[in-house]
Amino acid sequence: MTTLMGGVAYDPKVVTIWDGFRRWLRGQALDFDYVLYSHYERQVEDLVAGHVHAAWNSPLAWVRSARLAAARGRRVESAVMRDTDQDLTSVVVVRADSPARDVADLAGATVAVGAVDSPQSTLIPLSFLRGEGVRDLAVRRFDVGVGLHGDHIGGERDAARALVAGEVDAACMIDGNHLLFGQEGTLPAGTTRVLAQTPVYDHCTMAIVDTAPPEEAAEFVRLLGTMSYADPEVRPLLDLEGLKQWVPGRMSGFGPLTRAVDEVGFYDASGGVTAAEYAP
Amino acid sequence: MTGERAPLDLGFLSFERGAHLLVARALRGIPIGGRVLVTGGDPALGVHLRAWARQRGHGFTPVPERSATWELVRGPSELQRWQGAERAGGPGVDGIVDRPPARWGLAARGALVEPGGPEPRFDIDRREVVWADLAPRLYAHAAAAQWDPATAVDWAAAPAEPVPADVEAAVVQVMTYLVENEQAALVVPAGLLARVHPHFREVQQLLAVQAADEARHVEVFSRRATLHGGPMGTSSAGGRSSLASLLAEPDFSLASFLLSVLGEGSFLALLGFLEQYAPDPVTARITHLARVDEARHVAFGVAHLEHQSSLDPTLRGALRSAIERRHDALVDTAGLNADVFDALVLLAAGGWTPAAIARGHARVQELQHAMDDGRRQRLARLGFPPDEAAELSALHTRNFM
Ligand SMILES: [Fe+2]
Ligand SMILES: [Fe+2]
C-alpha cells in the first residue's frame, strides 16, 4: 500500500523537496507518494480523516491535528522532526534608542507581528508578553501567507521593516530570522536591540495518524532516520529542507503554543477553527 | 558539564558583523563532540549563537552559572559534507588526468570537489584527443599578442594615390568574402570550446582567445568594407556551402584539421597576398594583423595533430577520409565565389590594361600554388608521404577556407 504524506506548498521549492524525498524513499523500496495542500487546515482535516497517512505539520497544525483526532476517537503521533525543529525561541525587538528596558515598559506600545496564524512571530510571542503582564498592547499584524502558519517569511520581514521605519515600538520574530534580518540588512547592525527572548519551543513535526498502515508508517520513519548528511545524494535534500538530521519526534515542546492557542481561542478543544480574522 | 572547553572571547563583535567566522574557526579547531566556551558583549549574541548553531548542526547551551557565556558542541555535518571529497587532478599541467569525470564539472583543476551536484556533459573529455603540450605556451603568446582594432589600425590613413572606384569595389568584395570566412572561423572554435571538459582549461583558454582573434577579424574586415560607404559585395551559395561543411564536423580533431591546418593554413597565403597587393594602407595593415593571428591558429592545429598522429597511427586514415568526405559533399558546388576570384585578379593587376590583367591572373595562380605548397608541407608534418600529401591537398575546397 502506498504511504501517502501531505505537505503544504508554502514555496515552489516544496515540489523539489518532496519530489526528491519521494524518489529517494522509493529507491529504498518504500512505496511513497505525497500530495500538496495550499494551506494547513485542509491537510490536518485530511490527515485525521485518513485521506493521507502522514502530514508534515507546522506546530500549529500539530496542535489542531491532536485535538481533531482526539475528538473523533483517533490518535496522531509526533513521529519525527528535523534537528532544527527543537528548542527554538522568539525575540521581541525594539529600536536601539527605545526607552524600553524591560518588557513591562511596552505597556501601551504598538508591537508588530507576523501573520495571524504564525506560531513564532505572532501566537507564541504575544502569549509570552501577556504572561509577562504587559498590558494595553496594540498589535499590528502583517498577514502574509495566511494559512501557511508562518512558513512564509514575508510577514516577519514586514514587521521588522515597520520597526526600523518607526511605525511600531517593537517587533516579534523567530531567533533565526533575527539573525537573518541582521545579516541581510533588513535590521541594520546597531539600530535595534533584543528586549526579550521567549522560552524554548518546538516547531514542525511529522504527524502520523493511527489509521495509517503501521508497518509502512514505521518504515517511513525509520528510513528518514537513516538519511545521512554524509550521503551526497541525500545532502541536497536535507539542505533544501533545512536540517542535518531527522530526530525522533516529541510532544514536550508544544506547551507554549498550546497555551497561546487557548488564550486567543484559535482552535476550540475539539479542533474546530475558532480564530477571529483567520481565513486561509 | 565536564571536559576541556576551548575558550572563545568575541569581544563586542556581533553576528551582523561577522562573528560567525570566529565561531566556525574555533569549532574547526576541536574534534567532533568537543566544546567551545563562547563569551562576548554583543547583547544579541546569545540569540544569534543559538540560531546559528542550530542551523549548522552544533549543540548549544547557555552556561547557567555565568552571564553572557554559552557552550557549543561541535556537530559532524561539516566533516560529513566533505567526506568522500576528491581532488580534481592537480593545478599544474602535470596534474591533468587522462579522462576527467563529468562530476568534476566546472571545478577548478586541483580543487577539492564536494561529492554530489550536477554532472554537466562535456563530451570532449579525453586527454589524448584534446591536449597538446604546446597549448599553455600558445595561449600565453596569444594573450600577449592581442591588439585593439581602434588603435592598431590608422583608419584615416590615406593611400599614396587615389583608389579607383572599381578597385575599391574589388577590395569591398574581398572583405565581404573574408567576413563570412572569419565568421565560420569564429563559430567553429567557439562550438568546440563549449564541449571541452574545463579540466583542460589551457585548451579552452586557447580556443577562447582564438575566437576573440576571429571576432577582431570580423570587425576589421567589416569596417574596411564599409569604410568608404559603398555597398557590401556578394556572398555565393558555393562559398557558404564550403563553410557549412566545416561547421558540420563534430569531431574535435577532424574539425581542427579541416579548419586550422587546411583552411587557416591556406588563408596565411591569401592574407599575405592581400597585404602585398593592397591598394591602400588600411587593407594592408588589417590583413597583416590577421595573418599574425592566423599563424598561431595554424600552429596549434598542426602541433596538436602532429602529437596525436605520433600516438595514433589510425589518425591519418581518419584525416584522409575527412578531406574526401568534404570534397564529395562539395563536388557539385561552385567553390570559390567567381566575384572574389575576379577581385583578387584585379587587385594584383593594379589596372585594366590587358598586360596588367595577365599579370594579376598569373599572381593569383602563384597564390594558389603557394596555398597548395603550404598545405602539402603541413600534411607532411602530420606524416603523410609526399604523393599522398599532394593528392589530398588537391582535394581541398576551392573556397580556400
Ligand atoms: Fe581569422
Ligand atoms: Fe583563425
Side-chain angles (χ1 to χ4, degrees):
Chain A
M1 177 171 195
T2 304
T3 303
L4 199 56
M5 187 208 78
V8 167
Y10 64 91
D11 185 279
K13 76 173 180 181
V14 170
V15 175
T16 311
I17 292 171
W18 292 116
D19 251 8
F21 275 89
R22 178 182 189 273
R23 194 166 45 244
W24 185 82
L25 288 163
R26 293 177 77 91
Q28 312 299 309
L30 179 70
D31 182 6
F32 171 86
D33 207 349
Y34 68 93
V35 290
L36 292 181
Y37 293 87
S38 65
H39 62 82
Y40 277 105
E41 304 311 331
R42 195 183 314 285
Q43 169 169 302
V44 167
E45 288 153 17
D46 275 9
L47 174 70
V48 174
H51 298 149
V52 293
H53 305 123
W56 181 230
N57 266 352
S58 74
L60 189 58
W62 162 258
V63 170
R64 185 171 179 225
S65 299
R67 291 183 178 190
L68 212 51
R72 301 192 186 165
R74 302 249 62 93
R75 242 183 63 80
V76 287
E77 178 199 2
S78 168
V80 59
M81 307 170 90
R82 299 173 299 184
D83 53 358
T84 47
D85 281 316
Q86 300 188 338
D87 298 333
L88 284 68
T89 66
S90 291
V91 288
V92 182
V93 186
V94 294
R95 281 184 301 282
D97 60 3
S98 163
R101 293 290 133 200
D102 194 275
V103 283
D105 298 334
L106 290 179
T110 301
V111 60
V113 299
V116 61
D117 57 342
S118 170
Q120 62 267 15
S121 70
T122 306
L123 294 165
I124 290 173
L126 288 180
S127 167
F128 166 75
L129 290 173
R130 276 189 296 273
E132 295 286 307
V134 184
R135 283 165 307 135
D136 304 326
L137 208 56
V139 172
R140 175 135 175 235
R141 225 169 54 211
F142 289 89
D143 275 330
V144 179
V146 170
L148 303 179
H149 292 186
D151 286 357
H152 194 294
I153 195 173
E156 268 171 273
R157 191 177 270 125
D158 288 349
R161 286 183 178 138
L163 175 68
V164 173
E167 296 165 17
V168 295
D169 303 303
C172 302
M173 63 203 69
I174 198 166
D175 52 13
N177 282 340
H178 187 258
L179 174 62
L180 172 71
F181 295 159
Q183 289 172 334
E184 73 184 14
T186 299
L187 296 175
T191 61
T192 60
R193 170 158 53 86
V194 174
L195 188 67
Q197 184 175 22
T198 69
V200 296
Y201 57 85
D202 283 357
H203 210 255
C204 299
T205 183
M206 188 69 75
I208 296 184
V209 67
D210 61 355
T211 49
E215 279 176 27
E216 283 92 335
E219 179 64 359
F220 173 48
V221 171
R222 187 191 73 79
L223 283 171
L224 290 181
T226 67
M227 294 182 97
S228 167
Y229 200 67
D231 179 347
E233 191 193 338
V234 162
R235 191 163 55 241
L237 297 174
L238 300 184
D239 279 341
L240 265 180
E241 181 53 28
L243 72 156
K244 300 285 184 270
Q245 196 185 331
W246 292 99
V247 297
R250 62 185 188 187
M251 296 194 289
S252 57
F254 299 112
L257 181 59
T258 305
R259 205 156 39 245
V261 163
D262 288 334
E263 284 168 9
V264 299
F266 201 93
Y267 298 131
D268 66 21
S270 54
V273 179
T274 47
E277 301 175 45
Y278 177 53
Chain B
M1 252 156 265
T2 55
E4 287 285 293
R5 296 191 292 196
L8 173 66
D9 183 1
L10 291 172
F12 283 89
L13 187 66
S14 69
F15 266 73
E16 289 113 328
R17 298 188 190 275
H20 70 278
L21 270 85
L22 288 173
V23 179
R25 178 167 177 264
L27 287 165
R28 275 198 303 273
I30 58 170
I32 306 297
R35 295 146 194 271
V36 175
L37 200 64
V38 184
T39 56
D42 176 59
L45 190 55
V47 171
H48 290 165
L49 260 182
R50 174 191 288 276
W52 183 88
R54 186 196 307 127
Q55 286 164 7
R56 277 163 185 71
H58 302 297
F60 169 92
T61 33
V63 178
E65 68 270 22
R66 291 168 60 180
S67 67
T69 307
W70 303 270
E71 183 186 87
L72 299 181
V73 180
R74 185 179 180 190
S77 58
E78 198 52 26
L79 281 188
Q80 287 175 326
R81 174 181 294 280
W82 296 102
Q83 221 171 319
E86 58 181 335
R87 291 277 170 198
V93 291
D94 53 347
I96 295 176
V97 303
D98 287 340
R99 190 155 196 193
R103 65 176 180 274
W104 290 358
L106 296 166
R109 199 166 68 222
L112 185 63
V113 180
E114 179 189 350
E119 300 197 358
R121 185 174 149 73
F122 294 107
D123 69 308
I124 303 176
D125 62 352
R126 299 206 329 264
R127 180 194 169 108
E128 72 213 47
V129 168
V130 74
W131 184 250
D133 288 331
L134 195 58
R137 240 183 324 131
L138 273 180
Y139 167 72
H141 182 205
Q146 298 292 295
W147 42 272
D148 177 0
T151 54
V153 181
D154 177 5
W155 292 97
E161 48 197 88
V163 177
D166 42 18
V167 174
E168 171 64 16
V171 171
V172 170
Q173 177 57 62
V174 171
M175 292 297 141
T176 305
Y177 160 83
L178 288 178
V179 169
E180 76 182 25
N181 281 267
E182 296 296 351
Q183 285 177 162
L186 166 59
V187 168
V188 170
L192 293 172
L193 159 61
R195 291 169 50 207
V196 170
H197 196 299
H199 186 71
F200 305 103
R201 65 162 188 265
E202 292 86 349
V203 173
Q204 281 191 320
Q205 289 165 261
L206 186 59
L207 289 169
V209 80
Q210 181 169 336
D213 290 343
E214 307 301 4
R216 283 196 315 276
H217 302 171
V218 169
E219 178 192 340
V220 295
F221 294 146
S222 300
R223 189 162 169 185
R224 173 61 189 88
T226 54
L227 194 59
H228 300 301
M232 297 292 284
T234 60
S235 166
S236 73
R240 292 200 312 281
S241 296
S242 174
L243 296 176
S245 69
L246 266 186
L247 269 53
E249 179 53 68
D251 182 90
F252 183 83
S253 300
L254 300 183
S256 158
F257 175 62
L258 295 177
L259 174 70
S260 294
V261 178
L262 298 179
E264 294 176 314
S266 302
F267 256 52
L268 286 180
L270 176 64
L271 292 167
F273 174 92
L274 290 170
E275 183 183 358
Q276 186 178 355
Y277 297 114
D280 63 286
V282 171
T283 300
R285 178 69 178 152
I286 60 179
T287 49
H288 172 80
L289 288 167
R291 189 174 187 281
V292 174
D293 291 339
E294 294 305 342
R296 278 196 309 273
H297 307 171
V298 176
F300 175 66
V302 171
H304 170 236
L305 290 165
E306 190 178 12
H307 172 68
Q308 263 196 290
S309 70
S310 72
L311 298 177
D312 175 8
T314 68
L315 179 69
R316 275 193 295 280
L319 299 180
R320 181 187 177 102
S321 323
I323 301 184
E324 289 171 345
R325 263 201 317 277
R326 189 168 181 220
H327 176 263
D328 292 347
L330 295 174
V331 72
D332 292 325
T333 65
L336 184 66
N337 183 349
D339 292 339
V340 173
F341 183 86
D342 294 350
L344 292 174
V345 171
L346 180 58
L347 289 179
W352 282 107
T353 64
I357 293 296
R359 195 167 59 233
H361 196 273
R363 285 170 175 166
V364 172
Q365 279 188 326
E366 280 167 35
L367 165 65
Q368 285 172 311
H369 286 308
M371 287 177 171
D372 183 46
D373 280 347
R375 282 196 298 270
R376 279 189 289 158
Q377 279 170 28
R378 286 184 277 276
L379 287 165
R381 278 202 37 207
L382 303 188
F384 286 101
D387 55 339
E388 194 177 357
E391 179 200 343
L392 291 178
S393 175
L395 293 179
H396 181 62
T397 172
R398 286 159 294 159
N399 183 57
F400 305 156
M401 179 66 87

